[in-house]
Amino acid sequence: HVQLVESGGGLVQVGGSLRLSCVASEHVAGLTSMGWHRQTPGNQRELIAAITRIEEGGQIAYDASVKGRFAISSDNAANTLYLQMNSLKAEDTAAYFCCFGVRDERGSVENYWGQGTQVTVSP
């Protein structure tokens, strides 16, 4: 099955920028959604940016906490999902995970996750 590998995390100061990448090990047939989630210790993983309805052209949505600062994009030829993060805040510190939703022949959707990449924003 497809494997996802994130990169691009690191330590950055408040107001700085980072670009996360998520590379799939192969072309993903049946791809229906791609998204970025983040998680802090003791809290649930939360969806912050997503491209949905890919088979219909794709719709992009953002959580209010990142809207206007983060941008999700994809390079289908490279099997890669990106998250451009600008104007970073201390509260953006978290582990970031990419997720691909894949629809099978029966119509069921299975989610594939990357291993996560840490983003730390220092004051």
Side-chain angles (χ1 to χ4, degrees):
H1 61 273
V2 64
Q3 293 184 329
L4 305 178
V5 179
E6 299 106 333
S7 62
L11 176 64
V12 64
Q13 290 187 325
V14 168
S17 298
L18 283 174
R19 189 192 197 200
L20 305 184
S21 299
C22 171
V23 181
S25 57
E26 59 190 68
H27 171 71
V28 183
L31 186 63
T32 184
S33 67
M34 297 183 285
W36 286 98
H37 301 242
R38 67 186 180 188
Q39 186 174 24
T40 54
N43 293 308
Q44 290 188 334
R45 197 169 293 187
E46 59 174 356
L47 176 65
I48 58 169
I51 304 174
T52 60
R53 299 186 177 182
I54 291 174
E55 60 271 36
E56 301 172 26
Q59 286 187 327
I60 291 178
Y62 299 96
D63 183 81
S65 64
V66 305
K67 194 171 185 179
R69 300 187 297 122
F70 291 10
I72 188 172
S73 62
S74 66
D75 181 340
N76 295 333
N79 301 324
T80 303
L81 179 69
Y82 300 102
L83 184 68
Q84 178 66 43
M85 306 188 295
N86 299 324
S87 303
L88 282 161
K89 305 176 181 180
E91 51 264 43
D92 294 319
T93 295
Y96 285 71
F97 300 85
C98 62
C99 179
F100 282 23
V102 180
R103 192 182 305 279
D104 63 21
E105 298 83 1
R106 299 167 298 170
S108 299
V109 176
E110 182 170 0
N111 290 323
Y112 294 91
W113 293 89
Q115 82 290 350
T117 185
Q118 179 67 33
V119 171
T120 302
V121 185
S122 64

